[in-house]
Amino acid sequence: MATWAAMKKPKVEQGEEAEANTVSTQIPDDKEGLIDFMDQRANSIEALKDQLSNLDRKLAEERKLMADAEAKFLRVDRVEGDTFTKGKPKVPGKTGSLLGIAEFWTEGDKVKTANGTSTPQPRGEMKPLKMPSIILPPSFKRKASAPVRPEVNETSQAQPVDKSDSNVLKEVKNGFEAKRSRTVVPNEVVRETQAQGRDNHTDKDFAKARIRVSSNVSGQAAQQEKSEFHGHEELIALIGRSSLRATIESRTLAMLPSGHTKRMRSLALSPSNRDLFATSALDGVVHFWKLQSDRSSASLFKTVNRVEVDQKRWAEDIAWHPHKSALFSVYTADEGHAQISALYLNEARETCESKFLKDRPHSKGLINRIMFTPWDDPCFITGGCDHAVVLWREQGESNAWKSRLLHKDMHTSSVMGVAGMRHNNLVLSCGDDRRFVGFDAREEKVTFKHRLDNKCTNLLPNPRDVNLVMLQTRQLDRQLRLYDVRLPQTELFSFGWKQESSESQSALINQSWSPDGLHISSGSSDPVIHIFDIRYNAASPSLSIKAHKKRVFKAEWHSSNQLLVSISSDLEIGIHKLW
C-alpha cells in the first residue's frame, strides 16, 4: 500500500516543495524575520485574491445561466398556465431561484428538524422516492430518478427490496403518484431537454418493457384493474425518451376462420367480460366469440344475422357498453333507416335481444365511428359523413337512449374519429377536413380547434394518461401522432411505417392502446401487425408480426392478458401472445 501511495502522490516542483516546507505560521521575533514573514503573507493574500476573483467570475456565469434557464422555463409555463389554470405565485428561494432548483441540489443531503434547521442525513437513510416540488426535466434525472412502474421489469442495476418494507414503499409510491398527477410538465421543456439527453442514455436509464399484468394480480382482479382504471399516470414525459428499442417477443397461438362470407369490418373486445369479443363484416352478420380458458384459441358463442328483418346494411363500427354485455353498432343515415342498434347478450341463456334505437340524429351518409365515454355516467358518441358529432345518453333502466347534437359546423367534411376524455367532459373529434376539435359537452362550447397537415381517420385517448391522445392520419411514414390536449397545437411525437402494398393509407385500418398505455398496435395493408413503444425515440415499429395473408384491419389488446386479437381481409381471426 505504501508503494501504491507513493506512486499516486502528485508531482510537486522542487521550488514549491521547498517553499511549502519553509512557510511557517509562527510570527518571528526579529526584525528581518518579520519582514520576510510579511512578504510571504502579502504574496499569499494576492494569490488568494486571484483565486477569489476567478471563483466570483465563475459564480456569476453560473447564476446567469440559471437565471436564463428559469426565465425560459417560466415563459413556457406561463403559456400553459394562462391557457388552462392560474398557478400559485412562485416564491423565490434562498439563492434567488424562483423554482427552488438550487436549494434542491444544495440541500439534497440534509433533512429539516423541528426547529427549522438542517442537519446532514446519511445516504443509507435517505428516502429513495423523495422528489422536488416540480417534475424536473429529464437532464436532471441523474440526481432525482423517477420510480419504476410496477408493470416494468427491474434492471440488473436495481437494488433488492425487503418484502417487509413493501407496505411502506407502496405508501410512498402512492403519494408520489398522487403528487405527479397534479403536476404539469410543459411539452416544450420536455422536448428541449430530451433532445440533449437522448444520446447519453444507457441500459440503466430505462427498464425493459414488460407487456403484461403484474404477477400479484390475476383472474378477475386483473381484469377489473385494467378495465376500470380511473386514475392518472404522467406518461407524456416518457415519450421518445429511450434510445434503446424495447425487446418484445410474440407468437401466434391460433388462426381461426371467422365464419363471415364477406370482408370483415370491425373487432371489439368486451371491457366487462374478459373472455368475450365480437366481429362484424360486410355480410351484415355479428359473431360473438369466447376465449378458451388457456387463452390459446376461441370458439364461436353466438351469431346475430339481422337486427330486424328489413335491415339492408352492415355495421360500419361496433362498441361494447363498459358495464354490460351489450354491443352497439352504427349504420348509415341514408333513406331514413335506423342508425344505431343494440344487442343485449344473455350469456347464461345464450340468447340475444336486439333492437334499433328510435332517435335518428344524423342527416345523411355513413356513421363512421361510435365510442363510449369513460365518464361515470356512460354515454357514447357518434360521428358521421354529415359533419355531425352526437352524444347519446341512457334514459333510466329501460335501455332507452336519447341523442343530443353537440356540433355540426365545426367540421367541413366527414367526421372519422370521436372520443370522450376522462376529465372536463371533453369530447374530441377529427375528420377528413384535417381538423382536430375539442368540445366541452357540459358548457356546450369549443375548447380548441387545430388543423393538421393531413387527413385524420381516427383518434384514441390513452387509457392511463388523461391528457394524452393518439391521432391517425393518412400520411405514410407518419401515420400515428401523439398530442397533449392541454396544448393541442403541439405534436409530441409521430410514428409510422412504410407500406409496400399500397401508396395510400386506408381509413379502415385501426389502432389500439395497450392496457399500460405505453404501446400502440396497428394493422396495415402489407399485411403486418405493427407494435410501437411510445418511449422509443424512433418512428419505426418496435415489433412487426406477420401472421395474416391479406390486409390487417385491427389488432386489439386484451384488457388483462398478454394477448392481441386481430382481424383481416383473409377472413381469419388471429390470437397472438406477447411477452
Side-chain angles (χ1 to χ4, degrees):
M1 295 296 294
T3 304
W4 175 254
M7 293 174 62
K8 299 297 289 184
K9 183 178 180 180
K11 295 182 179 179
V12 181
E13 297 294 336
Q14 293 182 356
E16 294 177 359
E17 186 174 5
E19 183 180 357
N21 293 332
T22 57
V23 172
S24 175
T25 58
Q26 184 177 1
I27 303 177
D29 297 327
D30 57 307
K31 182 177 180 180
E32 294 181 357
L34 286 171
I35 293 175
D36 293 336
F37 182 84
M38 287 186 294
D39 289 339
Q40 294 174 1
R41 299 281 71 77
N43 293 334
S44 178
I45 290 173
E46 291 298 325
L48 292 175
K49 284 183 177 179
D50 292 339
Q51 294 180 12
L52 287 175
S53 177
N54 293 334
L55 291 176
D56 288 338
R57 178 178 54 81
K58 293 181 179 180
L59 179 60
E61 292 176 355
E62 294 298 328
R63 283 177 173 172
K64 184 177 184 304
L65 290 175
M66 174 67 78
D68 293 342
E70 289 183 353
K72 187 170 184 179
F73 185 95
L74 293 177
R75 286 198 303 270
V76 176
D77 186 58
R78 189 179 298 112
V79 173
E80 187 170 354
D82 293 342
T83 307
F84 298 97
T85 57
K86 294 184 178 180
K88 296 181 180 180
K90 298 178 175 60
V91 181
K94 298 176 183 179
T95 62
S97 169
L98 289 175
L99 301 179
I101 296 178
E103 284 76 25
F104 173 69
W105 299 129
T106 56
E107 299 185 4
D109 298 338
K110 301 179 182 179
V111 292
K112 297 292 184 180
T113 58
N115 57 5
T117 60
S118 299
T119 58
Q121 183 180 14
R123 285 287 180 182
E125 299 179 4
M126 292 180 64
K127 294 183 179 180
L129 299 181
K130 184 176 180 180
M131 298 289 290
S133 58
I134 64 171
I135 296 180
L136 297 175
S139 59
F140 294 120
K141 296 291 181 166
R142 63 182 184 273
K143 290 197 176 184
S145 58
V148 180
R149 290 169 45 85
E151 290 85 1
V152 180
N153 279 338
E154 303 283 349
T155 60
S156 59
Q157 302 291 334
Q159 297 179 356
V161 180
D162 187 2
K163 293 183 179 179
S164 62
D165 298 334
S166 59
N167 294 332
V168 178
L169 291 177
K170 186 181 297 184
E171 293 178 1
V172 175
K173 183 182 189 316
N174 291 338
F176 173 77
E177 292 290 345
K179 184 177 181 180
R180 181 173 59 178
S181 65
R182 296 190 298 268
T183 308
V184 175
V185 183
N187 299 327
E188 290 79 4
V189 175
V190 174
R191 295 178 67 182
E192 289 175 5
T193 52
Q194 286 170 3
Q196 301 173 0
R198 286 173 182 168
D199 297 335
N200 299 326
H201 292 316
T202 62
D203 290 336
K204 295 185 293 184
D205 296 325
F206 299 98
K208 178 181 176 182
R210 182 175 67 180
I211 312 172
R212 62 178 176 181
V213 184
S214 302
S215 58
N216 60 341
V217 181
S218 61
Q220 186 66 24
Q223 185 273 340
Q224 184 175 2
E225 176 191 353
K226 292 299 180 182
S227 61
E228 297 184 3
F229 178 81
H230 295 293
H232 168 63
E233 294 186 15
E234 184 66 44
L235 302 183
I236 291 178
L238 302 178
I239 295 174
R241 284 282 313 281
S242 177
S243 59
L244 301 176
R245 188 194 303 268
T247 302
I248 307 174
E249 302 292 340
S250 68
R251 180 164 62 92
T252 299
L253 302 179
M255 297 297 294
L256 310 174
S258 65
H260 293 285
T261 59
K262 294 185 179 181
R263 188 175 63 188
M264 301 181 71
R265 195 59 164 240
S266 302
L267 165 71
L269 274 65
S270 172
S272 62
N273 186 336
R274 58 177 181 165
D275 297 330
L276 195 62
F277 67 92
T279 60
S280 67
L282 300 185
D283 55 10
V285 177
V286 176
H287 287 321
F288 293 96
W289 301 80
K290 268 197 171 181
L291 289 171
Q292 295 181 358
S293 57
D294 59 356
R295 306 293 186 272
S296 63
S297 186
S299 58
L300 186 60
F301 174 70
K302 183 69 178 176
T303 297
V304 178
N305 294 317
R306 291 288 187 273
V307 178
E308 290 183 0
V309 178
D310 59 347
Q311 178 183 335
K312 298 180 181 179
R313 295 285 298 183
W314 57 83
E316 294 293 336
D317 193 22
I318 58 177
W320 285 94
H321 191 289
H323 308 309
K324 301 178 181 179
S325 294
L327 185 73
F328 289 73
S329 307
V330 292
Y331 299 86
T332 178
D334 291 333
E335 301 178 1
H337 291 298
Q339 301 175 5
I340 313 290
S341 71
L343 303 176
Y344 295 91
L345 188 63
N346 189 323
E347 300 177 49
R349 298 181 181 180
E350 297 187 1
T351 59
C352 184
E353 176 188 353
S354 59
K355 67 175 185 178
F356 278 106
L357 304 187
K358 293 182 179 180
D359 285 6
R360 302 178 183 183
H362 290 277
S363 59
K364 64 178 181 178
L366 299 178
I367 304 174
N368 297 309
R369 196 71 60 185
I370 177 173
M371 180 77 71
F372 270 87
T373 65
W375 305 337
D376 294 335
D377 182 16
C379 307
F380 67 85
I381 309 166
T382 57
C385 292
D386 59 349
H387 314 169
V389 175
V390 180
L391 178 67
W392 300 71
R393 189 179 299 275
E394 191 171 11
Q395 305 295 312
E397 299 179 356
S398 59
N399 293 331
W401 292 78
K402 185 68 175 176
S403 64
R404 177 166 68 95
L405 179 65
L406 294 183
H407 59 80
K408 198 173 182 178
D409 55 355
M410 296 294 103
H411 291 277
T412 59
S413 186
S414 298
V415 176
M416 303 300 295
V418 291
M421 301 299 288
R422 280 189 286 139
H423 60 105
N424 298 333
N425 288 310
L426 184 63
V427 174
L428 305 179
S429 60
C430 66
D432 282 341
D433 57 358
R434 307 183 181 187
R435 291 184 181 179
F436 177 32
V437 178
F439 187 85
D440 190 328
R442 176 178 297 174
E443 300 295 333
E444 297 186 352
K445 64 179 182 180
V446 178
T447 303
F448 64 83
K449 282 200 304 184
H450 174 54
R451 185 177 177 85
L452 280 71
D453 59 359
N454 217 291
K455 294 181 178 180
C456 302
T457 58
N458 197 11
L459 60 85
L460 285 176
N462 187 278
R464 294 278 171 166
D465 194 319
V466 299
N467 300 309
L468 182 60
V469 62
M470 181 219 71
L471 268 71
Q472 179 190 2
T473 68
R474 293 182 183 268
Q475 181 176 351
L476 299 181
D477 296 339
R478 292 183 61 228
Q479 290 93 334
L480 310 182
R481 319 280 184 88
L482 298 181
Y483 286 89
D484 186 340
V485 294
R486 297 167 296 184
L487 292 174
Q489 290 79 16
T490 304
E491 179 183 302
L492 302 179
F493 208 76
S494 62
F495 306 90
W497 62 92
K498 295 181 180 179
Q499 288 191 168
E500 299 178 358
S501 59
S502 175
E503 296 182 356
S504 62
Q505 177 67 24
S506 173
L508 301 178
I509 303 297
N510 290 287
Q511 291 73 40
S512 173
W513 281 102
S514 62
D516 61 6
L518 296 175
H519 300 86
I520 303 173
S521 62
S522 177
S524 70
S525 300
D526 288 332
V528 175
I529 301 171
H530 295 299
I531 308 294
F532 298 89
D533 188 336
I534 66 173
R535 298 167 295 182
Y536 184 42
N537 63 5
S540 59
S542 297
L543 175 67
S544 295
I545 304 174
K546 297 181 179 180
H548 290 278
K549 304 178 184 66
K550 295 183 180 180
R551 177 171 53 179
V552 180
F553 292 116
K554 188 178 184 180
E556 185 167 350
W557 296 83
H558 193 276
S559 61
S560 60
N561 288 279
Q562 308 170 65
L563 293 178
L564 274 179
V565 181
S566 61
I567 59 172
S568 169
S569 292
D570 59 11
L571 300 182
E572 288 188 329
I573 300 173
I575 300 178
H576 318 276
K577 182 178 178 61
L578 301 176
W579 67 92

